[in-house]
């Protein structure tokens, strides 16, 4: 019997090692280690063996079982590993096929720019408001000290509406300044944004509808120096910290003194190029509110002073992103919108 | 204003380079737009603001230079040799409308020899952009460029009656003007007339009949001050802007005519050998009296935020031509050629301008602080935009200006409220004649434009205003529009179009998501009827009886009008109507501690019965333990009988305080089945 055990050991070892698949291995296990397997047969036959060799044989059988079980387990691990490797190999993808993407949406670049401007002034304590796009002469012109015969009131520049001789499409959001001042007491810091309209034939730099951001600050000690500080901060925040600014005298009926703020050219850094000419780009109009404007809004111009400014939104965005045609904003070509 | 440097140098030294000069002028408010070479000389092209008529002359620019560089100004010397004979023997002047013409100065020059003006004069005119005509006309233009005062020369012998009458034109009068046009005049226009007829349009253009020609021997020279508004109105009315009118309409110096006419006479003597009669006929019925303005240095400091020394203020103003008296504050009389200096702030601006805006320090306000905040409605608008962007929509901005043809294109019938529009009184182009009453055409146009350019998958929204005439007012309403067309994802290889393209339900889902995020709930759904939508595939959402949203598939006819290559879907949301219901406040709800029980339920009903009805019945039967109903299958075909459909739902049951037993759930399901059978004549599959 001892010899038989030896033979079995060799045979079983060979079979386990020779199993090519998990199924084959299971078959081998059943054959040797199963309930009716070869080892079980030996145990049964143990009773027929002489009394004195029984313990020894028992020991040998147990040792063999242990040995075969270990062998079986390691063979199984090897086969499992093989099977896994095979599966992984079979499942290999062409990683160069296109990814499946969810399309993401985007805010229009004008909305983003308006918001950016709003954020900058919000941080400086400005309140952001809105007013009507259809205005009346009173707010768009008269209360801003633009008298009836001022060139700015020409039919050429302003869209008027049927139904009421006073109705027009506001030409600037400065009209909102007047509405806000009228109903409140200083101090005030207010920014308004929205559509404005000018009767301009559309071309690369003109659009009959455009956006403006317009702000003012009224208080007991508001000065031109404050105007400069606030607007220089804006320019640096919007165009970058390297931006330099300068103020040139200008003329608006509703401000006195009036100024034009220029920034160092975003393209050449101020050295002078085809876009800017002399290194500077006009960016906004500003000034101290004319005392008549404050007075008409019910604010005592002796006690309070105010600065005001107004800027387009399309142009600064054009400068910032290098957009060369204002009409792109309103065509809404997705290939344009997706760039921002 | 075009400024020839050598000419400018006659009145002031220019010891700095041209670029530096340009810079100094620009920084003082006289924007030098271009520097052009002119022979061996240069011309500065200066863009003037409308408040500076005084700078529409060489002398005016020279004055600015002299102030900026602190150099003496050299106005032209006028020494005139007059004849014995008095001009007043030849001409009398009568001003019938002193409001419109406060001053008229006439001079008479005899024996002029009309011919070309000398080359130096022609060259200067050319540099300024004015064509040389003959020596007499050239002199008037030359003096206008030099001193700013427009002048006009008449052929004295063609004037009738030896009298100049300044009056309003009479109805029906006409005038053949120098440009060869016959102008119809009306009483709003001021004319210069002789005893018989108008001979010039005051301050704008002369008449052809009294024009200086080769045979002219005697000249009547006009130098006047006209009311700016009148000139501007007439010029606008006739669509005629001239060198003269562009000066008068901004306001000239009422004292300019005397000196300018003398200067012109002096030049006519030298270049046309004229004999100047003694004296000017100077009629000045409405004296323009100089203004006195108080300037308080502390006011200046309060406005500018910088202290400018008193002497400096005085010095600047005096150099600009003001008379300054020092006292408690400064008493300033601005020169009559500066009509723009009317109030204290105007003087402060002058001081700041010369002192230099860039010398004023920049500082941040130390005012009483205010809180930065956005108007709450703008916050909601921003939230709406964010939600839609997260849903994959691109924002668009379209014109609020449109035209009535769009209503036809979107099948809006005559008489529909959307056709009640606000019209532009003075439209510029045919495409833009009205204000939009709906966002729909704009969105369709964006789909169309993109499709035409090869982009067929377009998912967009616009948040903007529509405009409606409403009992004598224009009502501006906030509206939201959504449009979907084509594939929602990219990289769709091996997927069928119907698996990836937008459908009615994608659009409905977007609207549902929007409302959920905005906290708008409890709305009802019914079939929609808007003409631009497919009648069988459109819906309206109602809240408190008001339609808050309309959505559906674009009507095939409308899709054809816009050349849409795929089925497209459109929704409009009345933002004004939902604003009162929007709630952005959030509160934490505990995450459920007890497990849910899931059950599937398949119901067969007649095909007309909407799924919404079935859900309602199930919800009623199951009560509050039913957490969620989700449709997972809709099926028609065998073995479901003809005219019927099968709807399969996953029901989620959960109790907040315990684990539900399957008996409880089965009982609820049984109740649901029973109610479905009763109410909807449904039968339950798998039973
Ligand atoms: Zn540049």
């Amino acid at each position: 019997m001892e010899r038989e055990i030896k033979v079995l050991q060799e045979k079983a070892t060979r079979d386990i090692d020779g199993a090519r698949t998990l199924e084959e291995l299971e078959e081998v296990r059943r054959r040797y280690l199963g309930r009716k397997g070869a080892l079980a047969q030996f145990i049964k036959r143990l009773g027929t063996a002489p009394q004195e060799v029984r313990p020894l044989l028992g020991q040998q059988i147990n040792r063999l079982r242990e040995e075969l079980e270990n062998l079986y387990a390691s063979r199984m691990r090897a086969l499992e590993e093989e099977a896994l490797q095979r599966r992984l190999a079979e499942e290999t993808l062409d990683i160069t096929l296109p990814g499946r993407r969810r399309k993401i949406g985007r805010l229009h670049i004008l909305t983003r720019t308006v918001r950016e401007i709003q954020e900058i002034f919000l941080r400086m304590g400005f309140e952001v408001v809105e007013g009507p796009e259809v205005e009346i002469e009173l707010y768009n012109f008269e209360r801003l000290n633009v008298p009836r015969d001022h060139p700015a009131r020409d039919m050429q520049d302003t869209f008027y509406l049927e139904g009421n001789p006073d109705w027009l499409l506001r030409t600037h959001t400065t009209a909102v300044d007047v509405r806000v001042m009228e109903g409140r007491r200083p101090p005030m810091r207010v920014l308004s944004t929205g559509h404005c309209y000018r009767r301009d034939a559309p071309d690369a730099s003109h659009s009959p509808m455009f956006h403006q951001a317009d702000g003012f600050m009224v208080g007991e000690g508001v000065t031109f120096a404050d105007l400069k500080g606030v607007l220089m901060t804006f320019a640096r925040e919007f165009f970058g910290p390297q931006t330099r600014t300068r103020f040139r005298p200008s003329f608006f009926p509703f401000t006195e003194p009036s100024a034009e703020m220029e920034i160092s050219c975003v393209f050449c850094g101020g050295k002078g190029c085809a876009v800017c000419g002399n290194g500077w780009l006009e960016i906004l109009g500003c000034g101290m509110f004319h005392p008549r404007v404050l007075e008409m809004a019910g604010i005592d111009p002796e006690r309070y002073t105010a600065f005001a400014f107004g800027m387009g939104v399309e142009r600064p965005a054009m400068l910032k992103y290098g957009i060369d045609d204002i009409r792109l904003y309103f065509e809404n070509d997705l290939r344009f919108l997706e760039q921002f | 204003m075009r400024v020839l440097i050598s000419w400018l140098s006659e009145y002031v030294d220019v010891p700095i380079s041209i670029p530096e000069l340009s810079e100094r002028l620009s920084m003082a408010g006289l924007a030098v737009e271009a520097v052009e070479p002119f022979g061996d000389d240069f011309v500065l092209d200066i863009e003037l603001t409308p408040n500076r008529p005084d700078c529409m002359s060489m002398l005016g620019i020279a004055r600015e230079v002299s102030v900026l560089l602190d150099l003496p100004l050299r106005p032209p010397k006028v020494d005139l040799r007059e004849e014995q004979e008095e001009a007043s023997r030849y001409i009398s002047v009568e001003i019938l409308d002193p409001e419109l013409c406060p001053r008229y100065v006439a001079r008479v020059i005899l024996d002029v020899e009309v011919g070309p003006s000398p080359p130096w004069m022609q060259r200067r005119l050319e540099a300024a952009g004015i064509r040389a005509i003959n020596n007499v006309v050239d002199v008037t233009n030359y003096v206008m460029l030099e001193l700013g005062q427009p002048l006009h020369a008449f052929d004295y012998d063609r004037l009738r009656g030896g009298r100049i009458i300044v009056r309003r034109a009479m109805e029906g009068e006409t005038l053949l003007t120098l440009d060869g046009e016959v102008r119809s005049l009306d009483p709003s226009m001021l004319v210069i007339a002789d005893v018989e007829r108008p001979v010039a349009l005051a301050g704008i253009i002369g008449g052809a009949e009294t024009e200086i020609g080769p045979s002219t021997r005697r000249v009547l020279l006009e130098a006047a001050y006209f009311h700016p508004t009148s000139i501007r109105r007439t010029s606008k009315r006739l669509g005629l802007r001239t060198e003269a009118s562009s000066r008068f309409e901004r306001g000239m110096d009422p004292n300019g005519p005397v000196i300018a006419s003398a200067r012109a006479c002096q030049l006519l003597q030298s270049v046309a050998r004229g004999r100047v009669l003694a004296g000017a006929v100077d009629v000045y019925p409405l004296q323009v009296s100089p203004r006195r303005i108080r300037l308080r240095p502390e006011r200046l400091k309060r406005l500018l935020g910088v202290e400018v020394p008193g002497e400096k203020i005085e010095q600047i103003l005096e150099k600009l031509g003001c008379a300054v008296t020092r006292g408690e504050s400064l008493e300033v009389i601005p020169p009559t050629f500066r009509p723009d200096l009317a109030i204290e702030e105007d003087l402060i601006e002058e001081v700041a301008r010369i002192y230099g805006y860039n010398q004023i320090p920049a500082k941040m306000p130390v005012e009483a602080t205010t809180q930065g905040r956005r108007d709450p409605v703008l916050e909601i608008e921003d939230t709406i935009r964010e939600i839609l962007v997260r849903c994959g929509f691109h924002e668009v901005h379209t014109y609020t200006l449109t035209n009535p043809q769009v209503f036809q294109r979107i099948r809006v019938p005559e008489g529909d409220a959307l056709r009640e529009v606000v019209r532009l009184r003075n439209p510029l182009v045919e495409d833009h004649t009205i204000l939009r009453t709906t966002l729909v055409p704009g969105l369709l146009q964006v789909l169309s434009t993109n499709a035409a350019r090869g982009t067929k998958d377009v998912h967009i929204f616009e948040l903007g205003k529509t405009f409606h005439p409403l009992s004598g007012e224009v009502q501006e309403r906030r509206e939201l529009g959504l449009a979907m067309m084509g594939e929602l994802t990219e990289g769709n290889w091996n997927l069928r179009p119907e698996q990836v393209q937008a459908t009615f339900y994608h659009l409905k889902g977007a609207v549902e998501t929007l409302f959920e995020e905005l906290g708008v709930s409890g709305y009802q759904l019914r079939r929609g009827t808007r003409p631009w939508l497919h009648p069988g595939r459109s819906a309206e959402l109602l809240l408190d009886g008001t339609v808050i949203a309309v959505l559906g598939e674009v009507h095939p006819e409308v899709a054809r009008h816009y050349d849409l290559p795929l089925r497209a879907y459109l929704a409009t949301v009345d933002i004004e109507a939902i604003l009162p219901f929007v709630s952005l406040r959030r509160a934490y709800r505990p995450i459920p501690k007890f497990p849910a029980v899931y059950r599937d339920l398949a119901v067969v009903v007649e095909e007309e019965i909407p799924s919404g009805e079935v859900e309602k019945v199930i919800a009623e039967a199951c009560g509050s333990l039913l957490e969620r109903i989700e449709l997972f299958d809709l099926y028609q075909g065998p073995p479901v009988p003809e005219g019927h459909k099968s709807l399969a739902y996953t029901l989620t049951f959960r109790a907040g305080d315990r684990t539900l037993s399957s008996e409880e759930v089965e009982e609820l399901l049984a109740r649901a089945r029973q109610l479905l059978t009763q109410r909807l004549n449904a039968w339950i599959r798998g039973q």
Side-chain angles (χ1 to χ4, degrees):
Chain A
M1 203 163 170
E2 203 171 333
R3 235 183 68 82
E4 281 178 76
I5 288 172
K6 192 91 186 144
V7 171
L8 183 71
Q9 182 189 13
E10 276 165 26
K11 199 163 171 286
T13 306
R14 206 165 48 242
D15 284 356
I16 287 173
D17 282 346
R20 293 281 128 238
T21 65
L22 283 168
E23 291 73 36
E24 270 179 45
L25 183 65
E26 176 59 18
E27 174 53 35
V28 173
R29 187 194 65 79
R30 234 180 291 132
R31 203 178 322 140
Y32 297 101
L33 297 164
R35 253 188 298 140
K36 290 172 185 163
L39 280 177
Q41 299 301 327
F42 273 117
I43 304 276
K44 263 191 205 155
R45 280 170 53 199
L46 207 54
T48 64
Q51 188 74 42
E52 64 280 10
V53 293
R54 246 186 251 167
L56 190 69
L57 280 177
Q59 255 176 25
Q60 281 179 340
I61 291 169
N62 275 338
R63 218 179 299 131
L64 178 58
R65 173 183 294 276
E66 208 171 298
E67 188 184 329
L68 292 182
E69 271 172 353
N70 283 340
L71 259 171
Y72 164 80
S74 76
R75 183 64 193 150
M76 171 122 120
R77 273 197 302 277
L79 284 176
E80 271 174 355
E81 178 61 23
E82 229 170 79
L84 180 65
Q85 288 309 326
R86 208 163 36 245
R87 179 183 155 191
L88 292 179
E90 280 163 5
E91 286 180 354
T92 302
L93 295 179
D94 177 355
I95 55 164
T96 66
L97 286 174
R100 300 205 197 271
R101 299 206 212 176
R102 286 189 202 199
K103 288 189 182 173
I104 58 164
R106 285 181 168 83
L107 288 176
H108 194 284
I109 183 60
L110 286 176
T111 301
R112 292 181 50 144
T113 307
V114 165
R115 223 192 250 188
E116 192 180 348
I117 294 170
Q118 289 177 350
E119 294 294 339
I120 295 169
F121 284 100
L122 277 167
R123 291 197 288 274
M124 292 192 276
F126 280 69
E127 185 182 335
V128 177
V129 301
E130 197 196 56
E133 294 178 31
V134 172
E135 261 299 355
I136 51 175
E137 295 216 308
L138 182 73
Y139 290 112
N140 197 71
F141 292 129
E142 274 156 48
R143 290 283 166 85
L144 285 169
N145 199 35
V146 184
R148 192 157 283 278
D149 278 298
H150 192 276
R153 276 171 84 157
D154 276 357
M155 286 280 276
Q156 276 87 316
D157 303 320
T158 309
F159 282 118
Y160 284 88
L161 302 176
E162 284 184 4
N164 187 324
D166 260 0
W167 288 350
L168 49 84
L169 292 174
R170 68 177 174 200
T171 56
H172 46 197
T173 40
T174 323
V176 183
D177 297 2
V178 179
R179 286 179 176 271
V180 173
M181 280 196 291
E182 220 178 47
R184 302 204 208 167
R185 310 291 329 146
M188 289 178 252
R189 297 182 196 190
V190 177
L191 181 83
S192 61
T193 56
H195 286 159
C196 296
Y197 302 84
R198 298 256 168 99
R199 210 165 162 274
D200 284 327
D203 62 25
S205 51
H206 293 90
S207 170
M209 180 185 88
F210 57 97
H211 292 73
Q212 257 199 355
D214 203 291
F216 68 93
M217 175 172 169
V218 200
E220 289 198 355
V222 177
T223 68
F224 196 87
D226 297 320
L227 162 83
K228 285 184 68 174
V230 166
L231 293 180
M232 283 164 88
T233 303
F234 163 74
R236 279 194 302 263
E237 294 271 305
F238 189 84
F239 291 105
Q242 76 291 346
T243 311
R244 286 169 293 122
T245 49
R246 69 176 194 179
F247 291 77
R248 283 199 303 107
S250 187
F251 172 75
F252 306 106
F254 39 88
T255 50
E256 195 74 43
S258 303
E260 198 92 60
M261 183 173 84
E262 297 182 330
I263 58 161
S264 50
C265 177
V266 295
F267 301 106
C268 65
K271 287 193 283 289
C273 68
V275 179
C276 62
N278 61 355
W280 296 94
L281 296 166
E282 261 178 45
I283 221 67
L284 58 78
C286 55
M288 303 301 293
F289 257 142
H290 194 288
R292 280 289 294 147
V293 172
L294 292 177
E295 221 167 69
M296 285 188 280
I299 293 170
D300 178 3
E302 277 294 315
R303 179 164 170 204
Y304 298 104
T305 47
F307 72 68
F309 59 89
M311 71 184 104
V313 174
E314 280 79 358
R315 195 173 124 81
M318 286 168 94
L319 295 174
K320 189 166 171 164
Y321 301 101
I323 299 165
D324 57 4
D325 193 324
I326 197 169
R327 288 167 293 197
L328 285 166
Y329 290 124
F330 304 107
E331 274 176 8
N332 301 294
D333 189 318
L334 244 61
R335 293 168 299 178
F336 172 76
L337 298 178
E338 280 171 351
Q339 293 181 30
F340 305 100
Chain B
M1 180 73 199
R2 294 170 59 83
V3 178
L4 187 66
I5 296 295
S6 60
W7 191 1
L8 180 73
S9 310
E10 267 184 28
Y11 315 111
V12 67
D13 289 343
V14 183
I16 55 177
S17 71
I18 304 288
E20 202 180 332
L21 177 67
S22 306
E23 173 83 4
R24 295 293 296 267
L25 285 171
S26 294
M27 295 314 289
L30 308 179
V32 177
E33 295 291 300
V35 179
E36 297 165 19
F38 189 77
D40 54 358
D41 208 341
F42 288 96
V43 172
L44 302 186
D45 194 354
I46 301 181
E47 196 184 298
L48 295 170
T49 50
N51 59 327
R52 294 303 301 275
D54 64 298
C55 284
M56 297 179 85
S57 66
M58 301 303 298
L59 188 65
I61 302 287
R63 184 179 295 108
E64 288 287 310
V65 174
S66 83
V67 178
L68 290 171
L69 304 185
D70 198 16
L71 291 169
L73 181 70
R74 295 185 297 265
K77 284 203 184 64
V78 182
D79 52 45
L80 190 58
R81 283 169 290 110
E82 292 179 326
E83 304 294 317
Q84 290 293 316
E85 207 173 358
E86 294 276 338
S88 56
R89 287 198 46 212
Y90 281 72
I91 195 77
S92 67
V93 173
E94 191 179 355
I95 299 176
L96 296 184
D97 199 323
E99 280 287 337
L100 302 192
C101 177
R103 188 170 206 176
Y104 195 100
V105 173
R107 275 185 173 272
V108 178
I109 305 98
L110 307 181
D111 301 331
V112 294
E113 290 172 20
V114 178
S117 53
W120 62 266
M121 186 177 280
Q122 292 198 21
R123 201 179 119 80
R124 289 182 171 186
L125 292 177
E126 192 199 327
I130 291 182
R131 197 164 49 92
I133 294 170
N134 58 51
N135 49 7
V136 176
V137 174
D138 290 355
V139 162
T140 61
N141 284 329
Y142 183 86
V143 174
M144 173 180 74
L145 292 173
E146 183 180 54
L147 303 177
Q149 170 71 46
L151 301 168
H152 186 65
F154 295 98
D155 185 332
Y156 177 81
D157 293 300
R158 300 200 190 189
L159 292 170
R160 294 171 195 163
R163 204 152 67 150
I164 285 292
I165 302 160
V166 187
R167 59 165 170 86
R168 286 169 182 269
M170 285 179 271
E171 207 68 68
E173 275 184 325
T174 58
L175 175 67
L176 175 63
T177 47
L178 282 171
D179 54 0
E181 299 269 322
V182 178
R183 309 275 176 180
S184 313
L185 310 178
D186 68 54
S188 74
M189 303 170 181
L190 190 70
V191 295
I192 311 301
D194 60 17
V195 293
E196 288 177 11
R197 82 271 198 230
V199 291
L201 255 171
I204 300 174
I205 193 168
E209 285 181 44
T210 51
E211 185 181 2
I212 304 293
S215 59
T216 301
R217 288 290 165 265
R218 301 194 282 186
V219 170
L220 177 86
L221 184 73
E222 164 196 296
Y225 174 75
F226 298 112
H227 194 278
T229 308
S230 148
I231 298 294
R232 222 175 67 75
R233 281 193 192 142
T234 305
S235 151
K236 217 168 87 178
R237 192 142 181 165
L238 295 172
L240 179 63
R241 217 151 170 272
T242 60
E243 288 280 343
S245 75
S246 66
R247 284 176 171 78
F248 282 125
E249 71 179 20
R250 295 181 188 196
M252 284 284 109
D253 180 3
N255 293 316
V258 176
I259 167 101
S261 63
R263 171 69 171 154
C265 286
Q266 178 198 4
L267 288 170
L268 284 173
Q269 260 170 1
S270 65
V271 307
R273 298 170 175 233
R275 294 194 294 119
V276 178
L277 294 188
V281 177
D282 181 0
V283 181
Y284 192 7
L286 216 62
Q287 293 273 333
V288 178
S289 47
R291 283 176 298 266
R292 281 166 194 283
I293 307 169
R294 186 175 60 136
L295 173 57
R296 296 160 293 171
E298 74 273 11
R299 173 75 179 166
L300 182 141
K301 190 186 165 194
R302 270 197 65 197
L303 213 56
L304 299 183
V306 69
E307 185 140 23
V308 181
E311 301 99 81
K312 183 81 187 158
I313 297 175
E314 231 171 292
Q315 186 201 337
I316 289 170
L317 292 174
E318 274 171 355
K319 289 227 68 165
L320 286 167
C322 298
V324 183
T325 320
R326 201 193 298 212
E328 191 71 353
S329 49
L330 301 179
E331 184 133 314
V332 182
I333 300 174
T336 50
F337 55 77
R338 289 297 302 270
D340 58 314
L341 303 184
I343 60 170
E344 193 176 20
E345 285 73 15
D346 295 329
L347 298 178
I348 293 172
E349 180 180 61
E350 284 305 285
V351 175
R353 195 169 67 81
I354 303 301
Y355 180 75
Y357 279 11
N358 295 306
Q359 302 303 309
I360 299 172
K363 69 181 243 306
M364 287 307 276
V366 289
E367 259 297 290
T369 46
T370 48
Q371 193 210 330
R373 59 189 274 274
R374 263 201 196 91
D375 183 291
V377 176
L378 297 182
E379 289 286 1
I380 293 173
E381 282 197 343
D382 265 355
T383 306
I384 291 171
R385 289 194 180 95
E386 288 296 345
I387 295 166
L388 294 170
V389 163
R390 280 188 268 144
C391 289
F393 290 85
H394 277 285
E395 189 191 17
V396 299
H397 280 271
T398 68
Y399 286 119
T400 51
L401 303 168
T402 181
N403 62 74
Q405 280 76 51
V406 298
F407 294 122
Q408 234 152 327
R409 299 183 80 194
I410 64 167
R411 303 179 73 248
V412 172
E414 297 293 336
D416 191 284
L418 286 180
R419 285 191 183 252
E420 285 163 29
V421 298
V422 180
R423 270 167 226 286
L424 266 56
R425 209 194 309 160
N426 55 340
L428 189 64
V429 290
E430 265 185 32
D431 284 353
H432 293 165
T433 56
I434 61 169
L435 295 180
R436 68 183 175 196
T437 53
T438 163
L439 299 177
V440 167
L443 292 169
L444 286 168
Q445 191 56 55
V446 175
L447 297 186
S448 179
T449 305
N450 275 286
R453 296 176 181 182
T455 311
K456 292 191 179 67
D457 308 313
V458 186
H459 307 279
I460 50 170
F461 77 94
E462 177 168 17
L463 183 54
K465 285 181 171 174
T466 58
F467 302 83
H468 312 269
L470 189 80
S471 54
E473 297 283 319
V474 178
Q475 192 193 23
E476 299 185 15
R477 292 185 70 83
R478 276 169 237 271
E479 196 176 303
L480 169 71
L482 295 167
M484 301 182 87
M485 181 171 75
E487 304 189 348
L488 294 152
T489 51
E490 282 172 75
N492 296 330
W493 45 277
N494 276 14
L495 295 176
R496 293 185 311 279
E498 61 269 27
Q499 291 177 290
V500 289
Q501 284 182 351
T503 65
F504 174 88
Y505 297 106
H506 286 103
L507 179 72
K508 188 184 174 206
V511 173
E512 287 168 346
T513 303
L514 173 71
F515 285 160
E516 187 177 306
E517 290 291 308
L518 292 176
V520 175
S521 58
Y523 49 83
Q524 259 103 51
L525 195 68
R526 72 173 183 208
R527 283 211 177 272
T529 56
R530 304 311 278 151
W532 56 85
L533 298 177
H534 186 312
R537 296 182 166 198
S538 67
E540 287 177 352
L541 271 47
L542 289 102
L543 193 56
D544 279 5
T546 310
V547 176
I548 55 167
V550 176
L551 60 114
E553 181 176 322
V554 174
H555 195 288
E557 231 174 86
V558 176
R560 191 159 45 79
H561 292 161
Y562 284 91
D563 284 326
L564 302 184
L566 299 169
R567 287 175 189 260
Y569 303 88
L570 260 180
T572 47
V573 179
D574 186 341
I575 299 296
E576 290 315 324
I578 64 163
L579 276 180
F581 302 97
V582 170
S583 158
L584 300 178
R585 251 182 301 160
R586 294 288 183 264
Y588 165 72
R589 278 189 316 272
I591 291 161
K593 284 195 190 67
F594 296 95
V597 178
Y598 303 95
R599 288 288 186 277
D600 288 350
L601 181 65
V603 185
V604 175
V605 289
E606 285 168 28
E607 64 186 350
E608 292 76 31
I609 294 177
S611 171
E613 282 299 307
V614 178
E615 290 185 24
K616 230 186 269 174
V617 172
I618 296 171
E620 187 188 326
C622 297
S624 62
L625 291 177
L626 179 67
E627 191 179 74
R628 189 174 146 92
I629 308 180
E630 197 182 5
L631 180 78
F632 69 88
D633 189 48
L634 164 66
Y635 177 75
Q636 276 182 289
V640 176
E642 188 81 4
H644 286 66
K645 63 185 171 189
S646 161
L647 297 161
Y649 302 92
T650 298
L651 309 186
T652 309
F653 296 92
R654 197 196 302 269
D657 54 353
R658 69 205 137 92
T659 302
L660 283 176
S661 67
S662 59
E663 291 75 37
E664 277 178 287
V665 173
E666 289 311 323
E667 202 184 308
L668 291 174
L669 278 174
R671 212 187 293 166
R673 289 187 197 105
Q674 195 190 352
L675 206 59
L676 284 166
T677 315
Q678 265 175 29
R679 295 266 181 84
L680 303 176
N681 200 21
W683 52 282
I684 310 303
R685 284 181 77 192
Q687 267 203 317

